[in-house]
Amino acid sequence: MIYDCLIVGAGHAGVQAAFSLRQMQFKGSIGLLGEEADPPYERPPLSKDFLAGQRDFDSLLLRRTDAWADRGIDLLLGRRVTTVHPDGHEVELAGDGRFGYGTLIWAAGGKPRRLSCSGGDLAGIHTIRTRADVDALRDELCPAGAVAIIGGGYIGLEAAAVLSGLGKSVTVIEAQDRVLARVAGEPLSRFYEREHRARGVSIRLRASVQRVDGANGRVDGVRLADGTTIPADMVIAAIGIDPVDGPLRDAGAESGNGVRVDGFCRTSIPDVFAIGDCVMQANPFAANRQIRVESVQNANDQAVHVAKMLTGNVVPYRALPWFWSNQYDLRLQTVGISAGHDSWVVRGDPDSRSFSVVYLLDGRISALDCVNATRDFVQGRGLIGRTAPAPVLTALGDPAVPLKEITSALDA
Ligand code: FAD
């Protein structure tokens, strides 16, 4: 079978691309290939209410089951692409089979990194990326009293919040000197550290894992480099993902930390686009550094962008990044990209559990992290990229001054 547009990866990005193409009146045939057997679903609840057992799988589905046939999209599940043949415009599947393409959209996301230390393959070590991962984790959860989570990023902390709420004794092991070190500034890290500790989560900072200990093939503790052992009936490795770009790289696509795309989401291979978590792109909201953005917003917006490109609307991709994370009763909403910031302003009192952190780089506002502060999140969008002279910095630090007033003053 030859598809006019073949999409590899049936996650947020791939699904959005297929449906956007139809919305934009793309008349050709569309095939959407996915490795997972499950129909496409939302990933963020996997470390939140789905892990907590508060949502069932059907409520996670990205589209109704009849929507695929309605829109004339062939959903081809349980199939993994191993090889891309750019010359023949074909992809090859694990096992057997090939599909041809007119245009290929690579949307294969990422795979969770596994522990490379000794004991890293023992039973009882889990990751959180797919529905199957969380089902397996939940099946083993009942007898587990103590859970060690390796990695204090968003997924590790969200899992810590859920599991401590389920009565587990949770330890978060983080190699850096603060949680969320890769994605947020110090005030936010310290706030979340306090919140987790206040709920009984043990947080070990500057802690490097030496090995995972086990008995009878099953994990029973995590040994740290300082010689201490954290007892654990279950370990969750939340140490990030590796982008899935192997088949494209092997086919000659430029890559680095993911498939490299230009400002239009085109790879270096003709007729092949790439979108979502697997993509590395110069980002105007990060001083044009080549970065990978892991968020639903980025997956969806790049998908819409490529659908526009394929229906004749050729414009460069530019979308303001945003993200969210739920932990306990705290809703964090982020806009912009804070990585690389050189200063910040805290807006409001973190002890009130409703505050924002405004990040700056070279005197320009680069991002906001808003905790239980949706108004700041909404109004702060207009501030991204704006220069902030001293009076603006003072106003930013005063939660009584609405951010939209600061934007209006800057516009005047
Ligand atoms: P994916 O969702 O990973 O989809 C890629 C698909 O491609 C997968 O189904 C995979 O099986 C398939 N695939 C891979 N290789 C192949 C192959 N060779 N052949 C065929 N198919 C293949 N983002 C937020 O904005 N807010 C959140 O709160 C948030 N929480 C998250 C919580 C968790 C637990 C996780 C895992 C992610 C979270 N994210 C969150 C990130 C967000 O889910 C991702 O950025 C988003 O799913 C990326 O979409 P994608 O389509 O690029 O990749």
Side-chain angles (χ1 to χ4, degrees):
M1 173 80 190
I2 300 173
Y3 287 99
D4 295 309
C5 181
L6 181 64
I7 304 168
V8 176
H12 285 272
V15 170
Q16 185 63 54
F19 278 82
S20 294
L21 279 168
R22 284 296 181 236
Q23 270 159 13
M24 294 174 199
Q25 314 302 323
F26 181 81
K27 300 287 183 232
S29 55
I30 301 176
L32 177 59
L33 273 170
E35 183 179 7
E36 293 178 65
D38 288 308
Y41 57 93
E42 288 175 60
R43 244 171 253 291
L46 296 181
S47 51
K48 306 179 181 74
D49 32 14
F50 185 69
L51 178 61
Q54 291 163 353
R55 274 179 80 175
D56 61 14
F57 180 68
D58 284 352
S59 75
L60 268 48
L61 294 182
L62 283 171
R63 292 293 187 278
R64 292 187 332 268
T65 39
D66 54 357
W68 306 95
D70 276 2
R71 302 293 160 93
I73 298 165
D74 286 355
L75 181 60
L76 306 150
L77 296 174
R79 306 183 204 207
R80 181 166 60 87
V81 170
T82 55
T83 317
V84 176
H85 299 285
D87 291 343
H89 275 53
E90 275 188 338
V91 301
E92 204 173 315
L93 304 180
D96 201 12
R98 286 177 180 236
F99 287 103
Y101 63 82
T103 300
L104 180 68
I105 304 179
W106 189 261
K111 296 267 173 185
R113 287 193 197 113
R114 308 273 159 184
L115 297 173
S116 57
C117 60
S118 138
D121 53 356
L122 286 166
I125 301 180
H126 294 267
T127 54
I128 304 180
R129 182 74 191 178
T130 64
R131 181 256 181 116
D133 289 344
V134 178
D135 282 350
L137 191 161
R138 285 188 56 82
D139 282 350
E140 289 182 17
L141 199 54
C142 191
V147 181
I149 298 175
I150 302 177
Y154 284 123
I155 291 177
L157 291 187
E158 287 179 350
V162 168
L163 298 180
S164 63
L166 293 175
K168 307 299 170 191
S169 161
V170 178
T171 303
V172 174
I173 301 166
E174 168 56 53
Q176 306 285 317
D177 62 355
R178 58 187 178 89
V179 296
L180 302 176
R182 194 176 60 83
V183 286
E186 176 124 21
L188 201 83
S189 300
R190 298 299 171 212
F191 171 77
Y192 276 100
E193 187 185 324
R194 284 197 300 278
E195 286 288 330
H196 281 276
R197 288 201 160 125
R199 287 168 172 83
V201 174
S202 169
I203 298 194
R204 303 290 301 258
L205 300 173
R206 292 184 211 86
S208 67
V209 172
Q210 192 178 61
R211 62 168 193 258
V212 181
D213 289 330
N216 304 318
R218 220 195 133 72
V219 57
D220 70 0
V222 178
R223 176 90 165 175
L224 303 181
D226 69 2
T228 51
T229 297
I230 314 284
D233 308 306
M234 173 184 284
V235 169
I236 299 176
I239 52 175
I241 60 165
D242 290 320
V244 177
D245 60 356
L248 277 191
R249 236 184 311 123
D250 293 346
E254 285 175 22
S255 63
N257 177 21
V259 191
R260 189 190 293 266
V261 297
D262 67 8
F264 298 84
C265 296
R266 295 179 294 216
T267 70
S268 56
I269 301 179
D271 301 320
V272 181
F273 292 81
I275 55 177
D277 278 15
C278 61
V279 158
M280 168 184 158
Q281 187 178 39
N283 193 307
F285 297 95
N288 280 325
R289 277 179 291 121
Q290 295 273 346
I291 59 169
R292 233 168 23 79
V293 178
E294 292 173 25
S295 73
V296 170
Q297 166 276 321
N298 181 65
N300 284 338
D301 285 345
Q302 287 187 333
V304 171
H305 171 81
V306 169
K308 282 184 185 161
M309 295 278 295
L310 295 183
T311 51
N313 188 358
V314 179
V315 285
Y317 175 68
R318 185 181 169 91
L320 180 60
W322 56 266
F323 182 81
W324 76 95
S325 170
N326 299 341
Q327 296 167 49
Y328 309 110
D329 57 345
L330 301 166
R331 178 149 178 90
L332 169 70
Q333 293 165 293
T334 292
V335 60
I337 291 182
S338 66
H341 65 269
D342 54 22
S343 59
W344 64 72
V345 176
V346 178
R347 189 175 152 77
D349 179 5
D351 286 345
S352 72
R353 307 179 80 245
S354 168
F355 70 103
S356 301
V357 183
V358 184
Y359 299 94
L360 295 108
L361 175 62
D362 293 334
R364 283 179 191 276
I365 298 166
S366 57
L368 282 90
D369 279 331
C370 309
V371 177
N372 290 342
T374 296
R375 201 170 61 154
D376 278 1
F377 170 70
V378 173
Q379 297 184 5
R381 302 170 72 92
L383 285 170
I384 302 298
R386 309 297 295 259
T387 43
V392 170
L393 293 179
T394 309
L396 285 173
D398 181 354
V401 181
L403 293 179
K404 65 177 179 198
E405 274 182 22
I406 301 178
T407 312
S408 304
L410 284 169
D411 287 342

